[in-house]
Amino acid sequence: MKKTVKVIRFGILGAALCALTFTSCSKKSAATGPKNDTIKIGVFEPITGANAAGGALEVEGIKLANELYPTVKVGDKEYKVELAIVDNKSDKVEAANAVQRLVDKEKVSVILGSWGSGFSIAAGPIVQDAKVPAIGLSCTNPLVTKGNPYYFRVCFIDPFQGTVIAKYAYDNLGARNAVLIREISNDYSVGLTQFFENKFKELTGNDNCILSTLNYNTGDQDFTAQLTDIKAKNPDVIFAPGNYTESALIMKQARELGITAQFLGGDTWETPELIDVGKSAVEGCIFSTFFDAEGATSELAKTFLAKYDAEYHKVPAAVTALGFDGYRVALDAITRAGTLDTTAIRDAIAKTEGFDGVAGTITLDAEGDATKSAFIKTVKDGKFTYLTIVNP
């Protein structure tokens, strides 16, 4: 009796194991099939941490593009495009780790990102060593692409942005002196203030036109010491490009101290959190950015704006448009390459010329940088408002 039971149990167990094995094999086959028809585009962005709001805006644009353009043709074969999105946690070390994961685990063909030049710079050696091309969306520091044949971008760079805002201060605001506030732990902020300083000195013909250069760190919340110095200097303008939260707090505390000087910044300010944190204190601040929805009149731009409005019910940020454009540049290069070989895709990206994007026509130069116009905006009645456009 016991023997019979054992045989029956073994039979049941064996059947179960066979069924399990069959099921596993079936799942494996099912998984293998679609992968052969799928191409992965990696995305590394600050999903959490101090820069999460900026990362979220870029991801919105990428996802929207993926919904509108879910496939790509490579030779005679159509591939489904799958996004592999990883969090760089608003940290340079984590940015390098995130990209390493995209290369080693996700086996991506192209990488998009990141909001924050420092994170992109940190990831640069990884993509170069792996020979996987990356396309920056809003990372404007020249070091992102300099000397790295595998990193490109669809935005203008800080030498142009710094020049634009310095000229606006000199020509339109009549400024003849300035104070600089740098987020010293942020490559973007440090680089952009330097380019502003160089151009402003050239315009004024005065090496002493920068009255003071003050520093703070990412995450700081009390700027009393810096603002006390500024109040004593009484500058015409204050150039303070940095993360939106700290920049908003600086303006808020400055107004509370009675500082009335004009605040100027860069593209990172065009984030809703700047207004949410700064409230009325950010009214009238002026900054440079990449895109203006009101001036976007092409059929592509109309499609983008309509789709974005239907999905998010708000006006898209400039970096969202760049996320949309970066994804489309990647698909265009893959199609032109006619292969999934990442070096061939890199070569195709490098040859991008006259590509129609939502945020303007994209032509990449020898360094992999896009030549683009800059938009000057302000905050008026609690909204980002267009002032003018500056062409390269």
Side-chain angles (χ1 to χ4, degrees):
M1 183 68 181
K2 288 182 180 179
K3 187 176 182 181
T4 305
V5 172
K6 285 183 179 179
V7 171
I8 292 171
R9 283 179 178 170
F10 178 78
I12 293 171
L13 179 60
L17 286 171
C18 288
L20 181 62
T21 302
F22 179 79
T23 304
S24 298
C25 289
S26 297
K27 286 183 178 179
K28 187 175 182 181
S29 298
T32 302
K35 281 187 178 178
N36 291 335
D37 299 314
T38 299
I39 184 171
K40 280 189 178 182
I41 291 183
V43 180
F44 80 112
E45 292 285 358
I47 308 300
T48 59
N51 308 121
L57 292 173
E58 292 196 357
V59 170
E60 286 176 358
I62 296 167
K63 285 184 174 179
L64 197 70
N66 182 240
E67 289 177 23
L68 287 172
Y69 310 97
T71 64
V72 61
K73 194 166 186 180
V74 183
D76 295 328
K77 189 171 182 178
E78 196 83 14
Y79 285 82
K80 179 183 177 182
V81 181
E82 179 182 322
L83 297 178
I85 302 174
V86 294
D87 183 9
N88 65 39
K89 302 178 182 178
S90 303
D91 180 87
K92 293 177 184 178
V93 173
E94 290 294 340
N97 292 338
V99 169
Q100 194 73 62
R101 177 184 166 190
L102 290 174
V103 168
D104 294 339
K105 184 178 179 181
E106 301 294 344
K107 307 296 184 185
V108 299
S109 298
V110 183
I111 295 172
L112 303 178
S114 166
W115 195 98
S117 291
F119 311 137
S120 298
I121 293 169
I126 308 296
V127 301
Q128 186 169 5
D129 290 345
K131 293 182 168 51
V132 176
I135 301 174
L137 308 173
S138 66
C139 43
T140 52
N141 189 296
L143 295 179
V144 172
T145 58
K146 189 173 180 61
N148 190 338
Y150 277 82
Y151 225 126
F152 304 87
R153 73 181 113 210
V154 293
C155 59
F156 54 63
I157 59 175
D158 286 334
F160 174 61
Q161 183 173 204
T163 296
V164 164
I165 205 70
K167 274 185 61 63
Y168 190 89
Y170 184 86
D171 294 338
N172 298 71
L173 303 177
R176 294 300 180 265
N177 60 63
V179 164
L180 308 179
I181 306 181
R182 304 183 300 183
E183 186 176 342
I184 197 65
S185 50
N186 183 336
D187 297 307
Y188 160 84
S189 181
V190 173
L192 188 49
T193 51
Q194 186 61 61
F195 293 121
F196 175 94
E197 178 179 351
N198 294 344
K199 188 61 180 181
F200 199 64
K201 284 182 176 179
E202 177 190 319
L203 291 168
T204 61
N206 178 12
D207 286 340
N208 298 314
C209 63
I210 304 300
L211 304 180
S212 189
T213 300
L214 306 167
N215 299 323
Y216 67 92
N217 285 296
T218 306
D220 285 355
Q221 295 190 356
D222 184 357
F223 304 95
T224 304
Q226 296 94 328
L227 294 172
T228 300
D229 183 286
I230 290 173
K231 189 172 184 179
K233 296 289 196 305
N234 191 30
D236 293 335
V237 293
I238 302 167
F239 186 54
N243 288 333
Y244 42 84
T245 301
E246 290 86 344
S247 297
L249 289 173
I250 288 170
M251 285 186 267
K252 190 173 183 179
Q253 292 173 27
R255 299 314 185 210
E256 290 170 353
L257 284 173
I259 296 172
T260 59
Q262 175 68 57
F263 271 96
L264 305 172
D267 58 274
T268 53
W269 283 14
E270 194 181 11
T271 306
E273 281 70 13
L274 182 89
I275 298 172
D276 293 342
V277 174
K279 308 296 182 186
S280 61
V282 302
E283 280 284 315
C285 70
I286 296 172
F287 59 93
S288 50
T289 188
F290 312 102
F291 171 75
D292 177 62
E294 292 183 13
T297 57
S298 69
E299 288 305 312
L300 174 66
K302 289 177 182 177
T303 299
F304 165 74
L305 292 170
K307 177 72 173 173
Y308 188 82
D309 180 65
E311 197 144 327
Y312 296 101
H313 310 295
K314 60 181 180 179
V315 177
V319 296
T320 304
L322 291 176
F324 187 89
D325 285 348
Y327 175 92
R328 292 179 59 253
V329 166
L331 261 58
D332 175 67
I334 292 167
T335 296
R336 286 188 288 109
T339 173
L340 298 184
D341 177 74
T342 56
T343 298
I345 294 171
R346 186 227 78 89
D347 294 344
I349 295 173
K351 295 176 182 176
T352 299
E353 183 176 359
F355 183 83
D356 289 329
V358 170
T361 303
I362 300 167
T363 295
L364 300 182
D365 64 18
E367 285 287 351
D369 302 325
T371 302
K372 304 284 285 290
S373 299
F375 294 82
I376 305 296
K377 291 186 179 181
T378 186
V379 175
K380 183 179 180 182
D381 299 327
K383 295 180 180 180
F384 295 121
T385 305
Y386 170 82
L387 288 176
T388 189
I389 187 172
V390 181
N391 295 313

